[in-house]
Amino acid sequence: MNDMLRREAISRVGITIAIDGPAGSGKSTVSKELASRLGIGYLDTGAMYRALTWYVLDRGIDWNDGEAVARAAQEIPLRLDSDPADPHVWIGQREVTKEIREPRIALEIKHVSTNLDVRAWMAGDQRRRMMEARLGGSGMIAEGRDITTVVCPDADVRVLLLADQEARLRRRTLELYGDATAEHMEIVRAQVEGRDRADAEVSEFMVAAPGVSTVDSTGLDVRGVCEAIIRLVDDDLARRDA
């Protein structure tokens, strides 16, 4: 099936794609490429957690006050642009697309990502966005943690994207610093391993749940990973659009 036929099928039945995986597995890059090819929206759930982290820091909310952090999730004036070619994030009238990628956010995000009340709110909001896109005659691809199991366990296509640790660290370092020097790799190693340990307390993102397909991106380029997932998309569309 070529991209035009896929888009036509999606316009008839809609589609939701859920991609889980650890930091640096290539989720964001692959998801944006897939969304562009399929003509659907892209939801960066990690950006939502980063935006909330920025919001809490900006307002001087105490990380130890879990209830206050959860209230911040309910009140944050968050706006997302789901265009995969040029995604943007706003809080109120302020664009924070670049600010939420700063190292200071990565160091503190664990306080948000491990707050169970925050995670519950995020899951509901993320699912709403995905279903609205699907019902609108298009669809959405969401990537993050718990997307295949908590946010959208009934997604049409569910994928766990994995890669070996050194490959993940290199990808994330290049994303943050534009290079992979030993110094930057060690900084990112501390961030990634800390985030993985914290999230592992409230989320399972290294083992595929029943019905979730595993794709290992180690040694594959973006095109190779996308083709593996496209095959799953084609199978789903053939079944539902018969």
Side-chain angles (χ1 to χ4, degrees), residues 203-216:
S203 172
E204 174 54 73
F205 51 86
M206 295 297 288
V207 178
V212 176
S213 300
T214 298
V215 175
D216 190 334

PDB file of all heavy atoms in Angstrom, residues 203-216:
ATOM      1  N   SER A 203       5.809   2.908  36.042  1.00  0.00           N
ATOM      2  CA  SER A 203       5.518   2.561  34.659  1.00  0.00           C
ATOM      3  C   SER A 203       6.404   1.405  34.209  1.00  0.00           C
ATOM      4  O   SER A 203       7.554   1.289  34.606  1.00  0.00           O
ATOM      5  CB  SER A 203       5.768   3.789  33.762  1.00  0.00           C
ATOM      6  OG  SER A 203       5.686   3.447  32.402  1.00  0.00           O
ATOM      7  N   GLU A 204       5.850   0.563  33.338  1.00  0.00           N
ATOM      8  CA  GLU A 204       6.623  -0.523  32.729  1.00  0.00           C
ATOM      9  C   GLU A 204       6.811  -0.184  31.259  1.00  0.00           C
ATOM     10  O   GLU A 204       5.842  -0.123  30.499  1.00  0.00           O
ATOM     11  CB  GLU A 204       5.875  -1.856  32.875  1.00  0.00           C
ATOM     12  CG  GLU A 204       6.543  -3.019  32.147  1.00  0.00           C
ATOM     13  CD  GLU A 204       8.000  -3.206  32.547  1.00  0.00           C
ATOM     14  OE1 GLU A 204       8.244  -3.676  33.664  1.00  0.00           O
ATOM     15  OE2 GLU A 204       8.877  -2.847  31.733  1.00  0.00           O
ATOM     16  N   PHE A 205       8.047   0.091  30.865  1.00  0.00           N
ATOM     17  CA  PHE A 205       8.273   0.540  29.494  1.00  0.00           C
ATOM     18  C   PHE A 205       9.402  -0.219  28.815  1.00  0.00           C
ATOM     19  O   PHE A 205       9.904   0.224  27.778  1.00  0.00           O
ATOM     20  CB  PHE A 205       8.564   2.044  29.457  1.00  0.00           C
ATOM     21  CG  PHE A 205       9.654   2.487  30.408  1.00  0.00           C
ATOM     22  CD1 PHE A 205      10.988   2.448  30.033  1.00  0.00           C
ATOM     23  CD2 PHE A 205       9.333   2.918  31.679  1.00  0.00           C
ATOM     24  CE1 PHE A 205      11.986   2.848  30.907  1.00  0.00           C
ATOM     25  CE2 PHE A 205      10.324   3.320  32.566  1.00  0.00           C
ATOM     26  CZ  PHE A 205      11.648   3.286  32.178  1.00  0.00           C
ATOM     27  N   MET A 206       9.799  -1.353  29.367  1.00  0.00           N
ATOM     28  CA  MET A 206      10.846  -2.157  28.747  1.00  0.00           C
ATOM     29  C   MET A 206      10.351  -3.540  28.338  1.00  0.00           C
ATOM     30  O   MET A 206      11.090  -4.309  27.723  1.00  0.00           O
ATOM     31  CB  MET A 206      12.037  -2.296  29.691  1.00  0.00           C
ATOM     32  CG  MET A 206      12.762  -0.992  29.995  1.00  0.00           C
ATOM     33  SD  MET A 206      13.505  -0.220  28.539  1.00  0.00           S
ATOM     34  CE  MET A 206      14.880  -1.330  28.227  1.00  0.00           C
ATOM     35  N   VAL A 207       9.108  -3.860  28.666  1.00  0.00           N
ATOM     36  CA  VAL A 207       8.525  -5.153  28.316  1.00  0.00           C
ATOM     37  C   VAL A 207       7.172  -4.898  27.660  1.00  0.00           C
ATOM     38  O   VAL A 207       6.345  -4.159  28.206  1.00  0.00           O
ATOM     39  CB  VAL A 207       8.347  -6.054  29.552  1.00  0.00           C
ATOM     40  CG1 VAL A 207       7.691  -7.368  29.151  1.00  0.00           C
ATOM     41  CG2 VAL A 207       9.686  -6.310  30.238  1.00  0.00           C
ATOM     42  N   ALA A 208       6.956  -5.483  26.496  1.00  0.00           N
ATOM     43  CA  ALA A 208       5.705  -5.268  25.770  1.00  0.00           C
ATOM     44  C   ALA A 208       4.544  -5.960  26.467  1.00  0.00           C
ATOM     45  O   ALA A 208       4.635  -7.118  26.858  1.00  0.00           O
ATOM     46  CB  ALA A 208       5.835  -5.777  24.342  1.00  0.00           C
ATOM     47  N   ALA A 209       3.444  -5.231  26.610  1.00  0.00           N
ATOM     48  CA  ALA A 209       2.222  -5.814  27.152  1.00  0.00           C
ATOM     49  C   ALA A 209       1.595  -6.718  26.088  1.00  0.00           C
ATOM     50  O   ALA A 209       1.941  -6.645  24.902  1.00  0.00           O
ATOM     51  CB  ALA A 209       1.251  -4.700  27.548  1.00  0.00           C
ATOM     52  N   PRO A 210       0.674  -7.593  26.485  1.00  0.00           N
ATOM     53  CA  PRO A 210       0.003  -8.445  25.505  1.00  0.00           C
ATOM     54  C   PRO A 210      -0.624  -7.616  24.385  1.00  0.00           C
ATOM     55  O   PRO A 210      -1.283  -6.603  24.638  1.00  0.00           O
ATOM     56  CB  PRO A 210      -1.065  -9.156  26.341  1.00  0.00           C
ATOM     57  CG  PRO A 210      -0.478  -9.198  27.721  1.00  0.00           C
ATOM     58  CD  PRO A 210       0.247  -7.898  27.874  1.00  0.00           C
ATOM     59  N   GLY A 211      -0.403  -8.039  23.161  1.00  0.00           N
ATOM     60  CA  GLY A 211      -0.974  -7.338  22.010  1.00  0.00           C
ATOM     61  C   GLY A 211      -0.129  -6.197  21.481  1.00  0.00           C
ATOM     62  O   GLY A 211      -0.474  -5.588  20.467  1.00  0.00           O
ATOM     63  N   VAL A 212       0.985  -5.893  22.152  1.00  0.00           N
ATOM     64  CA  VAL A 212       1.867  -4.806  21.732  1.00  0.00           C
ATOM     65  C   VAL A 212       3.036  -5.395  20.950  1.00  0.00           C
ATOM     66  O   VAL A 212       3.696  -6.338  21.407  1.00  0.00           O
ATOM     67  CB  VAL A 212       2.390  -4.002  22.947  1.00  0.00           C
ATOM     68  CG1 VAL A 212       3.380  -2.939  22.497  1.00  0.00           C
ATOM     69  CG2 VAL A 212       1.224  -3.372  23.704  1.00  0.00           C
ATOM     70  N   SER A 213       3.317  -4.843  19.777  1.00  0.00           N
ATOM     71  CA  SER A 213       4.414  -5.315  18.938  1.00  0.00           C
ATOM     72  C   SER A 213       5.713  -4.637  19.345  1.00  0.00           C
ATOM     73  O   SER A 213       5.746  -3.429  19.575  1.00  0.00           O
ATOM     74  CB  SER A 213       4.125  -5.017  17.465  1.00  0.00           C
ATOM     75  OG  SER A 213       2.938  -5.650  17.035  1.00  0.00           O
ATOM     76  N   THR A 214       6.795  -5.400  19.422  1.00  0.00           N
ATOM     77  CA  THR A 214       8.108  -4.853  19.765  1.00  0.00           C
ATOM     78  C   THR A 214       8.925  -4.610  18.499  1.00  0.00           C
ATOM     79  O   THR A 214       9.005  -5.470  17.632  1.00  0.00           O
ATOM     80  CB  THR A 214       8.880  -5.816  20.685  1.00  0.00           C
ATOM     81  OG1 THR A 214       8.154  -5.994  21.909  1.00  0.00           O
ATOM     82  CG2 THR A 214      10.258  -5.251  21.010  1.00  0.00           C
ATOM     83  N   VAL A 215       9.513  -3.417  18.419  1.00  0.00           N
ATOM     84  CA  VAL A 215      10.424  -3.073  17.325  1.00  0.00           C
ATOM     85  C   VAL A 215      11.728  -2.614  17.955  1.00  0.00           C
ATOM     86  O   VAL A 215      11.739  -1.690  18.768  1.00  0.00           O
ATOM     87  CB  VAL A 215       9.853  -1.956  16.428  1.00  0.00           C
ATOM     88  CG1 VAL A 215      10.891  -1.533  15.382  1.00  0.00           C
ATOM     89  CG2 VAL A 215       8.563  -2.410  15.750  1.00  0.00           C
ATOM     90  N   ASP A 216      12.832  -3.273  17.620  1.00  0.00           N
ATOM     91  CA  ASP A 216      14.150  -2.907  18.140  1.00  0.00           C
ATOM     92  C   ASP A 216      14.837  -2.010  17.118  1.00  0.00           C
ATOM     93  O   ASP A 216      15.118  -2.428  16.001  1.00  0.00           O
ATOM     94  CB  ASP A 216      14.987  -4.165  18.389  1.00  0.00           C
ATOM     95  CG  ASP A 216      16.269  -3.862  19.161  1.00  0.00           C
ATOM     96  OD1 ASP A 216      16.759  -2.716  19.082  1.00  0.00           O
ATOM     97  OD2 ASP A 216      16.788  -4.768  19.836  1.00  0.00           O
TER      98      ASP A 216
END
